[in-house]
Amino acid sequence: MKITAKILFVLITAIFAASCSSSPNSAIKRTTIVMGSTIEIQANCPDVEKTNLAITEAFDEAKRIDTLFSTYIMGNNMWKINNSLDEKIAVNKETFLLLKKSELFWKATDGAFDTAIGKIIELIGFDKNSPSIPSHMDVLKALENVGWKRIKLEEPDVLFKPRNIKISFNAIVPGYAADMCARVLEKRGITDYMINVGGEIFCRGREWKVGIQHPRIENELLGTIIADGFGIATSGDYQQYFKKDGKRFTHIFNPATGYPANECEAVTIIAPDALTADALSTGIFVLGPAKGIELLEKLDNVEGIIVDTAGTIHQSSGFKNFLKR
């Protein structure tokens, strides 16, 4: 799965400490390519065979999720949903879970997070690596087939969707994959680890440090955080973008206007799970700093840092509690 609705730019620094480990040298680090980007897992455990088996199973889980939810595999689960001639579609349990999460975050962000935005993604062309700003009339036409407001869910497994609406989970699946990989490791008894799925992170253990890259200054950090048992996700405008007439256009779209969001340079969210962090980093990037901070202050166990397009840094009141001192 190509990541077209999320920016992938978290700089990771890991310091290994002990829940399963007796020595920093016992850490195991492995990477693979899934979802069009790198998945990295680092784990602390003296039992090398056990750890490698758990990491392999976690990678297999990420590949399973990619196969199920990629919008680039003809004939897969998402292709069948998006190309169904029926407006009433029975889906599997896992798909219905992500649909419900999509609705939850759509409501929480007043529509700024919207997975029913596939037509705009196709129109602007980031998915084909040839982005451009279309005509205003083309955007208006695409918006006729965009928006979660046109979606209805019915328990336990029914999706009602107009035929021309295209759903993309690209802004939520990487975080979900990080959470599911964590579940695999936990089942295998690995309790000190860091999972990085293309920039969406879940850590457990005492000393995993995550550096947040400055969106405009290379090799400079906004800060370093320690988040034991939390998900971390960042959305930004400086890796997947294009310029026209000197103006930068990001790959994160405002579903209300059909154009790239333009109020933030970067948003990093810390949440109890990576899926939540993933979805909120996108939604708040679209909302902008004022509404974004307002939302963060209403949410339990969720903190964030926002850099607006003037370079001003905004933090939620509890974000400082995660900063390394």
Side-chain angles (χ1 to χ4, degrees):
M1 176 182 293
K2 298 178 183 178
I3 307 302
T4 59
K6 287 291 299 175
I7 193 72
L8 311 176
F9 70 76
V10 180
L11 174 66
I12 314 286
T13 302
I15 295 181
F16 306 106
S19 67
C20 179
S21 167
S22 57
S23 165
N25 295 325
S26 67
I28 295 173
K29 174 181 175 180
R30 288 172 54 189
T31 62
T32 191
I33 302 297
V34 181
M35 302 182 184
S37 62
T38 300
I39 295 182
E40 177 183 282
I41 297 179
Q42 300 185 53
N44 247 354
C45 188
D47 189 332
V48 174
E49 182 177 359
K50 168 183 172 180
T51 305
N52 274 315
L53 178 61
I55 292 174
T56 296
E57 289 184 2
F59 285 160
D60 288 343
E61 175 67 355
K63 292 172 184 175
R64 182 193 68 81
I65 292 169
D66 183 31
T67 300
L68 190 65
F69 295 118
S70 173
T71 54
Y72 299 89
I73 300 175
M74 184 171 292
N76 77 340
N77 176 62
M78 288 307 297
W79 186 92
K80 291 175 182 176
I81 290 171
N82 283 331
N83 291 278
S84 174
L85 297 179
D86 297 321
E87 295 191 353
K88 179 180 179 181
I89 308 168
V91 299
N92 62 51
K93 181 178 179 181
E94 194 169 17
T95 300
F96 198 73
L97 170 65
L98 290 193
L99 289 168
K100 289 198 295 183
K101 290 289 187 180
S102 295
E103 184 165 84
L104 172 69
F105 293 113
W106 176 73
K107 290 178 178 178
T109 62
D110 290 329
F113 177 85
D114 197 324
T115 58
I117 198 174
K119 283 290 188 179
I120 289 294
I121 294 173
E122 290 179 358
L123 177 64
I124 294 183
F126 271 104
D127 59 329
K128 300 180 180 66
N129 295 318
S130 57
S132 63
I133 293 297
S135 71
H136 184 61
M137 290 303 298
D138 284 343
V139 172
L140 291 178
K141 184 176 180 180
L143 284 175
E144 294 175 2
N145 295 300
V146 164
W148 193 266
K149 60 183 177 290
R150 297 177 172 87
I151 302 293
K152 179 182 176 183
L153 302 180
E154 184 178 279
E155 296 284 354
D157 61 359
V158 177
L159 163 67
F160 291 90
K161 179 186 74 67
R163 294 178 184 178
N164 289 330
I165 295 284
K166 303 290 186 182
I167 293 174
S168 171
F169 290 140
N170 286 353
I172 199 171
V173 160
Y176 175 66
D179 292 334
M180 295 302 288
C181 287
R183 184 177 297 182
V184 170
L185 296 185
E186 296 277 350
K187 286 182 178 179
R188 282 286 179 180
I190 308 300
T191 58
D192 190 5
Y193 58 83
M194 180 178 68
I195 300 165
N196 176 8
V197 180
E200 320 313 330
I201 294 169
F202 188 85
C203 304
R204 191 174 297 283
R206 291 182 296 172
E207 291 294 333
W208 298 103
K209 297 176 183 178
V210 178
I212 306 170
Q213 176 64 44
H214 193 290
R216 291 292 183 269
I217 305 174
E218 189 175 357
N219 298 323
E220 182 168 323
L221 300 180
L222 294 174
T224 301
I225 57 180
I226 298 177
D228 178 9
F230 281 83
I232 305 162
T234 303
S235 293
D237 72 350
Y238 70 89
Q239 209 171 59
Q240 292 190 52
Y241 69 93
F242 68 98
K243 285 187 175 181
K244 181 179 180 181
D245 300 327
K247 185 176 180 180
R248 183 187 301 252
F249 294 93
T250 178
H251 69 304
I252 303 172
F253 307 111
N254 185 332
T257 67
Y259 289 96
N262 60 4
E263 292 192 45
C264 298
E265 293 178 356
V267 176
T268 294
I269 300 296
I270 304 170
D273 57 84
L275 183 154
T276 296
D278 198 0
L280 287 176
S281 68
T282 299
I284 288 174
F285 189 96
V286 174
L287 279 175
K291 292 182 179 179
I293 291 295
E294 182 181 352
L295 174 59
L296 286 171
E297 298 298 354
K298 294 177 181 178
L299 298 173
D300 294 332
N301 299 317
V302 177
E303 304 295 342
I305 183 171
I306 302 169
V307 183
D308 66 24
T309 49
T312 303
I313 297 173
H314 311 258
Q315 295 183 22
S316 62
S317 58
F319 186 82
K320 61 183 181 296
N321 298 327
F322 291 89
L323 287 171
K324 177 182 177 295
R325 293 173 175 81

